[in-house]
Amino acid sequence: MRTKDIQFLFITLLLSLSVYSQTWNYNDRILLFIEAKSKKTIVFINDSLFYKNGKRFQLKMTPFPGKLNEYLALNVAEKTYLVHSGCGPVLEFRNDSIVRVDNSYLHNNQFGTTPFIYNNQIHFFGGYGLFTYKNIITRYDSKNGEWNQEQTFGKKFPEARCCEVFSFRKNNQLYIFGGIANDPKNIRQVNDVAPFLWKLDLPTMTWEKMGTYNSKLVSSEYNSIQIKNKLYLFHEILLEVDLEQNTVNKYDYSNHIVPKAMLAKNDTIYGIFENNKRRINFSKKTIEEIKGKYLGSEPFILSYEGINYKKYGLVGVIILFILVGLITWYKKKVKKGPNTKITFNRKTNEFEFKQKKITSFEENEKKILYFLLEHPNEYVSLNTLNELFENAKQTETVTAVIKRRELAVNNLVAKVALITDMPESSLILERKNSEDKRLKDILLLPNLLIEI
């Protein structure tokens, strides 16, 4: 719905209802919502007065259990449903009429529930009924008009609760905290539930315990509304909960204006406001207009599974830097230390790398390695290496010996480069012979071969 449309609706509503506002009582039951299909503002007052976009209409109704003020207005796609707060009956607001669409019954089992929409289906979390508090999730199936319980998962599950439960939706994640439940040691005593923030991953229906929140600041007496990615709580002062920044910003109210029934669009609240003289009126205000004097900020989540963020945050950063330093030092040590060298084990008569036996060396390649062990890090003439590949039992040409030598050297260098992840250019060094410049000396596997 466009902002200009909403502004027009509420200006019309304000003008048309101003003549009635003087006769309202403070305790009048008011249900305020926007119809999904028409995008028009709907107001029910004491189940008898019906206003649509500021104009009074005659409400048509089919029989349904209870009173309208016991129902919650929820929009699903292009339809507006009124769902009984105790779960069960579902009404559709359609063409200025209320039509019952469910095949269920009045459960009276989830009063004080936390409703949410997922996959265009109505869900209830928690609630109270039949002398018990709930932590279940029920889902309304619009195809058969019945309710079913959803299977949830997780290592831990939130405590059963009802009423004054705060919820915050971010994409497919639902966050909940707060609520009340009775004391199992004294069933007539009602207490706040444990101050934990819970996250429900909706695609998998998996619960995750996020941490302990600031319950001394955030109490169950607050009314709440989500605007973009922040949750606003209204009571004695205005609280702005920012989960991403883990902060609660505190504000006084501007001119003591407190919203009583609210709808949010972008950063604007449309609804019914109470002033310091306990008079109510229909209006729209941005959240910045409602904010008064800034009163400071406090952390929202105080600890995660018993670890205090504020106390141990700096220690955690220091430990992280130490770990990074140790890992870096270890990698350098491994890179430069003995474990990065090719080792010849005299006991096993095997060549090893990082304590693992090398099985890929051929016999001619091993001849070169044995020679290098006897002449560590020495430049040698290629003619000297030729002697390693001469066959005393048969006469061979020099060309055949050279080819066998070159093949063995090239294969050895290639295999060592693959094993050690070193470039081939660093494994074979060349220089001119000091006595005969026409000849070439080579240094194979410099500083890479050791013996144990």
Side-chain angles (χ1 to χ4, degrees):
M1 184 175 184
R2 296 188 300 272
T3 302
K4 290 184 178 179
D5 294 336
I6 297 178
Q7 291 174 350
F8 172 76
L9 295 179
F10 271 87
I11 290 173
T12 307
L13 181 65
L14 177 61
L15 292 175
S16 61
L17 294 182
S18 59
V19 296
Y20 300 100
S21 61
Q22 296 177 357
T23 63
W24 295 344
N25 296 317
Y26 180 74
N27 292 320
D28 282 344
R29 298 187 302 272
I30 300 173
L31 178 61
L32 169 67
F33 60 93
I34 292 179
E35 186 182 11
K37 187 175 183 179
S38 68
K39 312 301 181 186
K40 294 181 179 180
T41 308
I42 308 299
V43 180
F44 294 140
I45 302 176
N46 291 337
D47 295 352
S48 59
L49 299 178
F50 162 41
Y51 296 91
K52 180 177 181 179
N53 214 29
K55 184 178 180 181
R56 184 170 175 175
F57 281 80
Q58 180 66 38
L59 182 63
K60 304 173 185 177
M61 294 183 289
T62 58
F64 60 87
K67 299 180 179 180
L68 276 181
N69 70 297
E70 297 172 349
Y71 284 74
L72 306 173
L74 301 168
N75 288 339
V76 180
E78 292 295 313
K79 295 182 178 181
T80 297
Y81 293 101
L82 302 174
V83 187
H84 195 275
S85 57
C87 197
V90 179
L91 317 176
E92 183 180 347
F93 183 78
R94 182 196 310 162
N95 299 325
D96 301 343
S97 300
I98 292 179
V99 181
R100 185 171 181 180
V101 294
D102 69 288
N103 293 317
S104 185
Y105 60 94
L106 188 58
H107 293 187
N108 286 332
N109 200 39
Q110 284 186 272
F111 288 104
T113 186
T114 303
F116 63 93
I117 308 298
Y118 177 64
N119 280 344
N120 287 330
Q121 293 180 311
I122 299 170
H123 295 72
F124 277 6
F125 164 72
Y128 173 81
L130 295 176
F131 307 105
T132 58
Y133 292 83
K134 312 293 190 302
N135 67 346
I136 62 173
I137 292 178
T138 53
R139 174 179 55 84
Y140 176 66
D141 188 340
S142 59
K143 293 181 180 179
N144 58 28
E146 297 286 355
W147 289 83
N148 299 293
Q149 182 177 347
E150 287 284 272
Q151 178 66 58
T152 58
F153 307 90
K155 295 181 179 179
K156 298 180 180 179
F157 295 87
E159 184 181 351
R161 67 196 66 201
C162 84
C163 313
E164 293 98 27
V165 178
F166 302 109
S167 64
F168 178 90
R169 181 75 173 269
K170 185 177 181 182
N171 301 323
N172 286 331
Q173 312 295 323
L174 177 71
Y175 297 85
I176 66 128
F177 61 98
I180 59 173
N182 61 358
D183 187 341
K185 297 180 181 180
N186 182 0
I187 60 174
R188 302 186 186 281
Q189 179 68 39
V190 176
N191 300 322
D192 291 336
V193 297
F196 296 124
L197 174 69
W198 292 88
K199 181 178 74 173
L200 177 65
D201 180 69
L202 296 175
T204 62
M205 284 293 166
T206 301
W207 288 105
E208 180 181 355
K209 188 177 182 181
M210 303 301 293
T212 304
Y213 68 88
N214 194 341
S215 60
K216 292 182 179 180
L217 181 63
V218 180
S219 71
S220 60
E221 297 176 334
Y222 279 81
N223 295 317
S224 66
I225 192 169
Q226 181 176 342
I227 298 178
K228 296 182 180 178
N229 287 328
K230 296 179 181 179
L231 187 67
Y232 290 89
L233 283 66
F234 304 90
H235 185 46
E236 294 178 350
I237 61 174
L238 170 61
L239 303 178
E240 180 185 66
V241 179
D242 189 334
L243 290 182
E244 292 181 355
Q245 301 298 322
N246 191 35
T247 58
V248 180
N249 295 322
K250 300 178 290 185
Y251 298 91
D252 198 356
Y253 291 102
S254 176
N255 298 322
H256 302 284
I257 296 175
V258 182
K260 304 301 291 183
M262 299 170 286
L263 297 169
K265 179 68 174 179
N266 296 325
D267 64 344
T268 302
I269 294 177
Y270 302 85
I272 302 166
F273 293 82
E274 172 200 356
N275 62 21
N276 56 349
K277 296 182 180 180
R278 303 196 76 182
R279 293 180 180 177
I280 58 176
N281 63 84
F282 290 82
S283 182
K284 67 177 183 66
K285 296 184 182 295
T286 66
I287 190 63
E288 297 301 324
E289 290 176 324
I290 299 174
K291 288 180 182 178
K293 181 182 178 182
Y294 174 68
L295 303 176
S297 179
E298 296 187 30
F300 177 60
I301 299 179
L302 299 177
S303 64
Y304 179 77
E305 292 298 304
I307 300 176
N308 187 285
Y309 286 140
K310 189 173 182 180
K311 183 176 181 181
Y312 297 107
L314 181 59
V315 176
V317 171
I318 293 173
I319 292 174
L320 179 62
F321 274 108
I322 292 174
L323 289 176
V324 171
L326 288 174
I327 292 172
T328 304
W329 171 80
Y330 178 77
K331 287 183 176 180
K332 289 181 178 179
K333 181 180 179 181
V334 169
K335 187 174 181 180
K336 295 182 179 181
N339 289 336
T340 62
K341 296 182 181 295
I342 294 178
T343 304
F344 178 68
N345 192 326
R346 286 290 182 186
K347 292 182 180 180
T348 61
N349 201 34
E350 297 287 351
F351 289 95
E352 300 172 348
F353 182 72
K354 293 186 176 180
Q355 299 180 344
K356 292 183 179 180
K357 184 170 67 173
I358 302 173
T359 59
S360 59
F361 291 146
E362 302 289 345
E363 198 60 36
N364 283 339
E365 297 159 7
K366 288 183 179 181
K367 290 180 180 180
I368 300 175
L369 291 171
Y370 294 141
F371 176 84
L372 295 177
L373 287 173
E374 297 177 0
H375 304 82
N377 299 315
E378 289 182 12
Y379 278 87
V380 296
S381 171
L382 288 174
N383 291 334
T384 305
L385 294 179
N386 288 346
E387 298 174 2
L388 301 176
F389 301 94
E390 292 176 351
N391 192 339
K393 295 182 180 181
Q394 63 181 22
T395 303
E396 289 183 307
T397 64
V398 176
T399 303
V401 174
I402 292 175
K403 285 184 178 179
R404 196 154 52 242
R405 179 206 74 199
E406 289 180 349
L407 180 63
V409 170
N410 291 336
N411 287 345
L412 176 63
V413 170
K415 290 179 181 180
V416 172
L418 184 63
I419 292 170
T420 62
D421 198 25
M422 296 178 65
E424 293 186 14
S425 59
S426 67
L427 300 177
I428 180 168
L429 306 179
E430 299 180 352
R431 73 179 184 184
K432 291 182 179 181
N433 188 280
S434 58
E435 296 179 1
D436 189 348
K437 301 299 182 181
R438 294 172 299 175
L439 300 179
K440 184 168 55 175
D441 296 338
I442 63 170
L443 174 60
L444 289 174
L445 313 184
N447 300 312
L448 193 60
L449 193 63
I450 62 172
E451 179 181 352
I452 60 172

